[in-house]
Amino acid sequence: MRLLRSTDLALRVLMRLAVAGESSPTTRDVAAGMDVPYTHLAKVVAELQHMGLLAARRGRGGGLTLTERGRTASVGAVVRAFEGDGDVVDCEGPTPCPLNSACRLRGALRRAQEAFFASLDPITVADIVAEPTGALLLGISRGPSGSV
């Protein structure tokens, strides 16, 4: 299974904000630090804000901060929210699979997908930034001026 780009960005934004401390980087700062287009990241940030996982303040002194709900969020729940509940394969697409009515693969893939999500459910955002990851994230998220 391969995660959507938006899922990857969402997890990386949450990780970045989890180690930000008192700083509140802007969406542009985070996009530049991740080397991703601002417009893509802005959509992900808007969804994370809608989910209550981060807070965004506009204007001077604004920026992004991780909420307590974001810090304790289940990685599995975040991945589910961004990936959706669709099947791993599209058996009923424009050219439906002729095996659809008697296929066992679809169910096996669904169980594998659920096992994947279930393995991520007990892991929180705080867990994935624990040492040594947190220190490494701080090092790579510093800009040329040394600020986070």
Side-chain angles (χ1 to χ4, degrees), residues 64-78:
L64 306 173
T65 55
L66 190 65
T67 64
E68 186 56 33
R69 183 175 179 184
R71 187 168 304 286
T72 61
S74 160
V75 172
V78 173

Side-chain angles (χ1 to χ4, degrees), residues 5-15 44 48 78 82:
R5 180 76 167 139
S6 58
T7 307
D8 173 45
L9 291 175
L11 293 171
R12 292 196 295 151
V13 166
L14 293 172
M15 291 172 71
V44 170
L48 291 170
V78 173
F82 277 86

Side-chain angles (χ1 to χ4, degrees), residues 5-139:
R5 180 76 167 139
S6 58
T7 307
D8 173 45
L9 291 175
L11 293 171
R12 292 196 295 151
V13 166
L14 293 172
M15 291 172 71
R16 167 66 176 83
L17 295 178
V19 299
E22 296 297 315
S23 71
S24 296
T26 65
T27 303
R28 287 197 189 281
D29 293 337
V30 176
M34 295 174 142
D35 196 25
V36 298
Y38 167 78
T39 54
H40 291 142
L41 195 69
K43 291 175 188 175
V44 170
V45 164
E47 181 61 25
L48 291 170
Q49 184 179 14
H50 177 73
M51 295 168 65
L53 304 181
L54 63 80
R57 290 183 317 278
R58 293 179 180 250
R60 188 169 174 85
L64 306 173
T65 55
L66 190 65
T67 64
E68 186 56 33
R69 183 175 179 184
R71 187 168 304 286
T72 61
S74 160
V75 172
V78 173
V79 172
R80 270 190 195 89
F82 277 86
E83 292 293 313
D85 59 359
D87 288 327
V88 175
V89 293
D90 186 10
C91 300
E92 301 184 26
T95 51
C97 177
L99 300 175
N100 201 8
S101 64
C103 182
R104 292 178 176 226
L105 179 59
R106 186 177 191 178
L109 290 173
R110 172 52 83 178
R111 288 188 298 278
Q113 182 181 26
E114 281 307 314
F116 171 73
F117 290 141
S119 71
L120 296 174
D121 283 340
I123 303 167
T124 67
V125 171
D127 293 335
I128 60 176
V129 297
E131 295 305 323
T133 305
L136 181 61
L137 273 169
L138 280 173

